[in-house]
Amino acid sequence: MKDKHSIYRFIAYSLELLTLFVLQQSPQALPIISNCKPNLVLAALVIIILFEGAIISLWFSIFVGLLLDAALGIIPGTQAILLCILGYFIGYIAQNYFKKNILTALIISMLSIIIFYHMQFLLLYILKGYSEILYAYLNKCIPTIIYTWSTVIILYLPTKFFALCIKEKQDFVNLENLST
Amino acid sequence: MRDFFKSRGFKLLLVAVVILLCLVLFTLITKIEFLSSQFSFITAPIQKVGTEVSEAICELLPDSTSSEEYKNKIKDLEEEIERLRAITIDYYNIKKENIQYKEFCEFKKTHANLNFLVSSVVGRSPDEHFQGFTVDQGASSGIKIGNPVVTSKGLVGHVSSVGEISCHINTILSPEAKIGCICAETGDCGVISGNFKLCEQNLTRMIYLSPGYTLQPQNLIVTSGLGGAYPKDLVIGKVTAVKSDENNASKYAIIEPTEDIPNTKDVLIILGEK
């Protein structure tokens, strides 16, 4: 029974991530601010990491990483490796040291998004030898971080709904105990 | 009773009936409406005046149509407006598509020696630095890495990675473009290679200009065809300015692409020569 609920929850997460992926990829679906669009998939992933712990976060991080690699047309696994390491550690820390509420979600997501985007900027911009590093950092990397982080507030509720509602009752009690 | 039939009034009645019967018979037989045409000289003006007066009175009187009827009429008209609006939107969309397909057709005729594949833009990643995008054709349609991508207005980029049913396009705004180009008017050669600052303004650069360059703003830049990666004479854009690089070691031209790359919807992928 526990496995059945977990499977439903993971399917819900997967559908949510795929829907957000399609939304963020669609050319005119999201408003463009300062030449940037938010990375909704990353924002949703961070919330999933907060609720699911290290091992599950690892798998979903790989899934999201592969999606992002496909979207950019780069070697599959480039961002997947980044995200799976990040997801595992953030998931471990969140599971053992943090309560699950909107405030911790905002803090953890901010840290995760900052770390991810800095690593991505290093890998996909600086190490590729592109010029105007500071300009690109200030005009692309930072606005994208802020814009992506601002969507965490919107995505927190639906992801929390999946995390809390598609669970066994015993898991509910454990989760509530962890939160208090 | 006998007095009634003998009375003057009754006799007058009989005379009047006979006259009228004669008139009827006369009109029937001769088809001449003599009397009615004479009457119309009197009745028509009176009727006209009467109609105008009654219309004026009707306008002054409150409307007898109920508010319910007006609401229903308004609702019907609103539905009609929505329906016509939808048709109009469809019409403009179809018209725009038609214009684009005509442009594609003209472009294909101009480059009749090349094999083209029409493809639509299906994704633009938020992590793209140089306006790269994904299209809905892939290896199954014969696309290979390096295939040039154009629109009817000009060169857009090249295929950088290929999946089975989609592929990723690197644009000419990217530093990785490295396209051999030539100025159509002056013959100055160079290489197209963008940077982030110019990409934000939908511009790119033509670098490695020779010291004796003669190109001017508004000159047209086209592919040179050298190297074989891109066919010759594909329009890239127009020169907007010539500047020195940060080390002052060489000059480069700022190129405004003819195609609006951030808003491109459909592209042609060149598969090769026929």
Side-chain angles (χ1 to χ4, degrees):
Chain A
M1 197 61 175
K2 189 177 176 177
D3 282 339
K4 197 174 154 188
H5 278 87
S6 300
I7 290 167
Y8 292 153
R9 203 166 63 249
F10 300 156
I11 290 172
Y13 287 148
S14 305
L15 289 173
E16 182 194 5
L17 290 170
L18 284 171
T19 308
L20 292 173
F21 179 73
V22 169
L23 195 62
Q24 78 181 32
Q25 286 290 104
S26 299
Q28 283 163 349
L30 296 173
I32 294 175
I33 300 172
S34 184
N35 274 334
C36 298
K37 286 201 301 189
N39 195 329
L40 300 177
V41 172
L42 184 64
L45 174 69
V46 170
I47 302 166
I48 293 170
I49 288 171
L50 180 73
F51 283 106
E52 294 298 332
I55 303 295
I56 308 298
S57 307
L58 179 75
W59 297 115
F60 276 103
S61 301
I62 293 171
F63 175 57
V64 167
L66 290 172
L67 277 178
L68 295 179
D69 288 335
L72 278 178
I74 56 178
I75 299 166
T78 313
Q79 294 180 97
I81 291 173
L82 264 179
L83 271 177
C84 86
I85 295 170
L86 189 67
Y88 182 82
F89 281 110
I90 300 283
Y92 180 81
I93 292 166
Q95 194 174 25
N96 292 300
Y97 301 107
F98 279 91
K99 294 177 191 174
K100 292 170 181 50
N101 53 42
I102 182 77
L103 185 63
T104 53
L106 289 172
I107 295 167
I108 290 173
S109 61
M110 174 60 107
L111 288 170
S112 311
I113 291 168
I114 286 174
I115 295 170
F116 172 74
Y117 268 104
H118 280 77
M119 295 303 296
Q120 190 205 54
F121 189 70
L122 176 70
L123 263 178
L124 300 181
Y125 197 92
I126 298 173
L127 291 179
K128 278 194 167 183
Y130 297 150
S131 60
E132 289 164 343
I133 292 171
L134 187 62
Y135 185 86
Y137 177 73
L138 292 174
N139 287 278
K140 177 74 179 175
C141 189
I142 299 290
T144 308
I145 288 171
I146 296 169
Y147 199 178
T148 303
W149 183 66
S150 66
T151 61
V152 167
I153 301 163
I154 302 164
L155 294 171
Y156 178 75
L157 281 173
T159 314
K160 183 184 174 183
F161 172 79
F162 295 140
L164 294 188
C165 293
I166 316 176
K167 262 186 185 303
E168 272 287 320
K169 267 191 188 168
Q170 187 54 40
D171 291 342
F172 256 118
V173 170
N174 291 342
L175 206 63
E176 278 167 8
N177 288 341
L178 277 173
S179 301
T180 52
Chain B
M1 196 66 178
R2 242 187 234 170
D3 293 334
F4 174 76
F5 287 110
K6 284 182 183 175
S7 67
R8 198 174 166 195
F10 187 72
K11 286 173 188 170
L12 271 171
L13 174 65
L14 281 175
V15 167
V17 168
V18 166
I19 291 169
L20 286 169
L21 273 170
C22 289
L23 182 65
V24 167
L25 283 167
F26 175 77
T27 309
L28 278 169
I29 293 163
T30 62
K31 307 278 186 213
I32 298 169
E33 294 183 11
F34 171 76
L35 202 59
S36 62
S37 67
Q38 297 306 311
F39 265 112
S40 69
F41 278 112
I42 303 162
T43 58
I46 294 170
Q47 275 178 327
K48 192 174 174 186
V49 168
T51 306
E52 282 174 8
V53 167
S54 66
E55 276 175 2
I57 292 169
C58 278
E59 274 172 22
L60 291 173
L61 286 173
D63 198 350
S64 61
T65 314
S66 71
S67 63
E68 198 57 45
E69 284 172 4
Y70 275 125
K71 278 182 190 166
N72 289 336
K73 265 190 192 173
I74 289 169
K75 194 179 163 197
D76 290 339
L77 287 168
E78 279 174 352
E79 280 168 11
E80 183 70 15
I81 289 170
E82 277 311 309
R83 195 183 64 79
L84 291 169
R85 204 173 271 157
I87 291 172
T88 311
I89 290 170
D90 270 342
Y91 163 75
Y92 283 120
N93 281 341
I94 290 167
K95 195 178 169 185
K96 218 159 92 173
E97 262 179 27
N98 198 28
I99 291 170
Q100 194 166 47
Y101 289 140
K102 270 188 183 166
E103 286 173 0
F104 277 169
C105 196
E106 283 305 314
F107 184 83
K108 278 184 174 184
K109 281 181 189 166
T110 317
H111 298 84
N113 59 323
L114 299 172
N115 257 336
F116 293 98
L117 184 66
V118 180
S119 189
S120 299
V121 175
V122 294
R124 289 183 185 268
S125 173
D127 297 334
E128 263 295 338
H129 289 111
F130 300 106
Q131 304 291 350
F133 51 86
T134 307
V135 297
D136 62 353
Q137 300 284 359
S140 58
S141 307
I143 293 173
K144 296 192 178 92
I145 292 177
N147 283 152
V149 178
V150 298
T151 64
S152 57
K153 289 183 185 161
L155 187 66
V156 170
H158 68 275
V159 175
S160 62
S161 69
V162 184
E164 196 54 35
I165 54 168
S166 68
C167 60
H168 191 80
I169 311 298
N170 263 4
T171 65
I172 59 175
L173 309 178
S174 164
E176 292 175 6
K178 301 279 190 280
I179 304 166
C181 60
I182 188 166
C183 177
E185 285 92 340
T186 64
D188 289 303
C189 294
V191 171
I192 295 292
S193 178
N195 66 20
F196 185 78
K197 212 181 238 180
L198 292 175
C199 172
E200 278 199 318
Q201 302 161 59
N202 193 27
L203 300 170
T204 187
R205 295 183 305 175
M206 178 178 170
I207 59 175
Y208 303 144
L209 282 180
S210 57
Y213 72 89
T214 51
L215 54 78
Q216 300 290 325
Q218 299 305 311
N219 281 164
L220 192 65
I221 304 297
V222 298
T223 52
S224 61
L226 297 171
Y230 294 85
K232 204 179 162 187
D233 293 332
L234 292 176
V235 175
I236 296 173
K238 286 192 174 169
V239 178
T240 59
V242 179
K243 291 193 173 180
S244 300
D245 68 4
E246 51 242 3
N247 302 322
N248 240 359
S250 63
K251 298 273 191 189
Y252 66 89
I254 297 176
I255 310 295
E256 185 184 2
T258 44
E259 174 60 43
D260 181 17
I261 291 170
N263 296 312
T264 307
K265 291 191 172 67
D266 294 293
V267 295
L268 292 167
I269 302 176
I270 299 174
L271 300 177
E273 294 207 6
K274 282 182 183 168

